[in-house]
Amino acid sequence: MTVIEVKADIVDNDTGKFYDWIGWDAVYPGKVSTLLDGADEVEVNINSNGGDVFAASEIYTLLSQHSGMVTVNIQGLAASAASVIAMAGDVVHISPTAQIMIHKAWTIADGNADDMAHTSEFLDGIDDSIMNAYVAKTGLDKSELSNMMAKETWLTANQAVDYGFADDVMDFGRPREPVLNSIGYPQVSRAVVDRWKKAMASAEAYEKQKKTAENRDAEIVGKKELQAKIDLLF
């Protein structure tokens, strides 16, 4: 199992190398490509505010083209470009405390009216490209997704599953009782097994404390005996 951590800014390769040089965390296509090389099953853990949309697109493509199983775990926040990467999972799990945030692309521009109009068209194209990843995962139509992005939509775990951005909410509860198909004696309940494990752990801890105390007492006695022998010499 190869684990890829998306826990920082998503940047292009050159910026990623600079981040590495100064010791900052970063996620970039080159790093992901290296991790995927020779990998079989892949697990992607996400908690990121996003970043460069084209770098995220390349990472999304790398994961989507990977021949092995890709499992995505949204552990905290999959926002902006990070939400695009999340859509590459064959299966997408989301923590009950996590969220997905989608919005329209933005940039900083200057120039005359023609420049602004060109930038607006450029951003519309980016939004349309981003929506392709969302459509492929959720099956929602672009008009609905465009409206959600325009409003900067924050999805809770359950909402993410309802809309199709994630497949299920992670369950951190106690192990469920097994469903049995047996004609013999019923298995011991999970609750009994859990109590036994706690009792064994307590007993083991007690034995360690007892042994430590015995060793300490033996050390004290040994020092006293040694001192007594030394006293006899003088």
Side-chain angles (χ1 to χ4, degrees):
M1 173 73 74
T2 298
V3 178
I4 297 175
E5 301 286 354
V6 181
K7 301 288 185 69
D9 291 339
I10 300 165
V11 300
D12 63 81
N13 287 330
D14 287 340
T15 306
K17 292 175 183 177
F18 173 73
Y19 272 42
D20 288 344
W21 184 71
I22 61 177
W24 289 2
D25 289 335
V27 183
Y28 53 93
K31 179 186 288 187
V32 173
S33 179
T34 299
L35 290 170
L36 288 175
D37 186 25
D40 185 13
E41 293 187 9
V42 176
E43 189 170 85
V44 183
N45 299 321
I46 298 179
N47 181 24
S48 170
N49 293 325
D52 187 312
V53 66
F54 293 114
S57 174
E58 185 175 352
I59 294 171
Y60 168 84
T61 303
L62 287 169
L63 292 171
S64 297
Q65 291 179 330
H66 184 63
S67 59
M69 180 74 173
V70 176
T71 300
V72 169
N73 300 312
I74 301 175
Q75 299 175 330
L77 176 63
S80 307
S83 70
V84 175
I85 294 175
M87 298 301 97
D90 296 306
V91 178
V92 179
H93 307 298
I94 184 168
S95 168
T97 57
Q99 289 196 339
I100 295 176
M101 189 275 276
I102 62 173
H103 67 102
K104 300 186 76 170
W106 66 274
T107 189
I108 298 174
D110 56 14
N112 58 33
D114 292 335
D115 296 323
M116 295 300 127
H118 174 73
T119 300
S120 179
E121 291 178 3
F122 167 74
L123 290 174
D124 286 341
I126 295 296
D127 291 337
D128 192 69
S129 298
I130 290 172
M131 280 188 280
N132 287 331
Y134 298 149
V135 169
K137 178 62 181 176
T138 68
L140 299 173
D141 60 65
K142 284 192 173 182
S143 61
E144 183 174 3
L145 285 166
S146 179
N147 184 51
M148 294 173 69
M149 291 169 66
K151 294 188 297 183
E152 187 183 293
T153 301
W154 293 74
L155 300 169
T156 64
N158 289 327
Q159 289 172 328
V161 172
D162 290 341
Y163 278 106
F165 288 90
D167 296 296
D168 59 62
V169 179
M170 299 176 190
D171 182 8
F172 305 130
R174 293 172 62 85
R176 296 184 178 88
E177 292 295 334
V179 177
L180 303 179
N181 183 12
S182 172
I183 60 173
Y185 292 108
Q187 292 184 3
V188 176
S189 73
R190 186 69 205 190
V192 171
V193 174
D194 287 343
R195 287 197 295 271
W196 170 78
K197 288 172 64 177
K198 289 182 179 179
M200 292 299 293
S202 296
E204 184 177 352
Y206 171 76
E207 288 298 325
K208 287 182 178 179
Q209 291 177 351
K210 182 180 177 182
K211 191 171 184 179
T212 299
E214 290 175 349
N215 291 338
R216 186 170 57 249
D217 291 342
E219 183 179 354
I220 293 173
V221 171
K223 287 182 178 179
K224 288 182 177 179
E225 291 178 350
L226 177 60
Q227 186 62 48
K229 292 178 180 179
I230 292 174
D231 291 342
L232 291 174
L233 296 176
F234 298 96

